[in-house]
Amino acid sequence: MKILQIIIVMLLFFFASQTAFVHAAGEERQRAVKRKPVKLEKGRWAFSFQGLGDITTNQRARKHFRSGLGVGLRTGYGFWEGLSGELEFQYDLLLKEKGTNKIEENKNLYTLAPGLRYTGYFIKDEMSWYLFVLPGVTFDYTKSINSTFNFSYAGGMGFDFDLTENLYVGPVFKYRHVVEDVVDDHDMDVHLISIGAAVTYLFDK
């Protein structure tokens, strides 16, 4: 009987040790398989979609349009440590202001802008911050007024938090100035602050 008890105890110990070994080996494989989040480094492409809320800040524009909505598409290519060349398209719909709006129509702004972006990483490379500058051209379309192409420039910052190895999401803050020659009451510079969120995908090399 004692020999049988010893055999049973030894078998239980063997199975327990094997289970612990298999569990430890599985965790080790998971750690080995898990990769660090992908960075926007030299030779890598990135693509972003942005959803934004717009606020005009200069008095002349606010008499006609105080707020709006915007969407943006951005692509970037890393060419140096932390630096990337950028190309961004953004559409902004500025909503007409009731009562004081002499134009009585919404304003549509279509902007195409190349530029530069610097990205830094922190917290084990799982979070990043970035700064960007984007000089470009804005097409100002309002239905009953002559459409114009105007010089514009933008600058801003944002943060990214990794969802997967290649996918990031985070807030973005942007300031844009659309420069327009003021000829009559319908013409105006537009100083625009955009706040929203961006979803970014980093492609593998």
Side-chain angles (χ1 to χ4, degrees):
M1 180 66 69
K2 289 184 178 180
I3 295 175
L4 181 61
Q5 291 177 343
I6 293 172
I7 292 174
I8 292 174
V9 170
M10 290 180 65
L11 287 173
L12 290 174
F13 176 79
F14 174 78
F15 284 119
S17 62
Q18 286 296 105
T19 302
F21 174 80
V22 171
H23 179 71
E27 289 184 338
E28 185 65 26
R29 283 195 298 269
Q30 288 181 351
R31 284 194 294 267
V33 171
K34 186 178 180 181
R35 301 181 344 190
K36 291 183 178 180
V38 173
K39 292 183 178 182
L40 182 53
E41 55 194 0
K42 185 177 180 180
R44 192 184 300 279
W45 287 92
F47 178 81
S48 299
F49 173 81
Q50 303 171 355
L52 304 162
D54 296 330
I55 302 173
T56 56
T57 60
N58 56 314
Q59 184 176 2
R60 185 177 179 84
R62 285 181 63 82
K63 289 181 179 180
H64 304 281
F65 316 96
R66 292 196 177 185
S67 62
L69 300 171
V71 292
L73 299 175
R74 162 252 174 189
T75 185
Y77 180 77
F79 67 90
W80 201 260
E81 187 68 29
L83 285 175
S84 59
E86 303 288 309
L87 182 63
E88 180 179 285
F89 170 79
Q90 183 169 324
Y91 167 68
D92 297 288
L93 173 64
L94 301 185
L95 304 174
K96 63 182 180 181
E97 186 70 16
K98 295 180 179 179
T100 60
N101 186 0
K102 296 180 181 179
I103 300 177
E104 297 182 351
E105 291 180 7
N106 297 330
K107 181 182 284 291
N108 301 272
L109 300 176
Y110 302 85
T111 301
L112 184 65
L116 292 173
R117 171 168 167 166
Y118 178 80
T119 303
Y121 294 86
F122 58 102
I123 307 183
K124 297 182 179 180
D125 295 339
E126 295 181 355
M127 297 175 59
S128 64
W129 59 271
Y130 56 88
L131 303 171
F132 59 87
V133 58
L134 300 164
V137 176
T138 297
F139 178 62
D140 184 345
Y141 171 74
T142 308
K143 186 175 181 181
S144 63
I145 302 172
N146 290 333
S147 301
T148 57
F149 285 92
N150 303 295
F151 171 74
S152 64
Y153 59 89
M157 66 174 295
F159 294 90
D160 278 333
F161 306 89
D162 72 307
L163 296 179
T164 66
E165 293 170 357
N166 296 75
L167 190 64
Y168 290 78
V169 65
V172 59
F173 171 86
K174 187 184 305 180
Y175 165 78
R176 172 170 280 112
H177 178 198
V178 181
V179 182
E180 184 170 348
D181 292 332
V182 179
V183 179
D184 54 38
D185 290 340
H186 296 157
D187 299 325
M188 67 190 74
D189 278 10
V190 177
H191 296 262
L192 198 63
I193 290 178
S194 301
I195 301 174
V199 177
T200 300
Y201 183 84
L202 297 179
F203 294 90
D204 292 327
K205 288 184 178 180

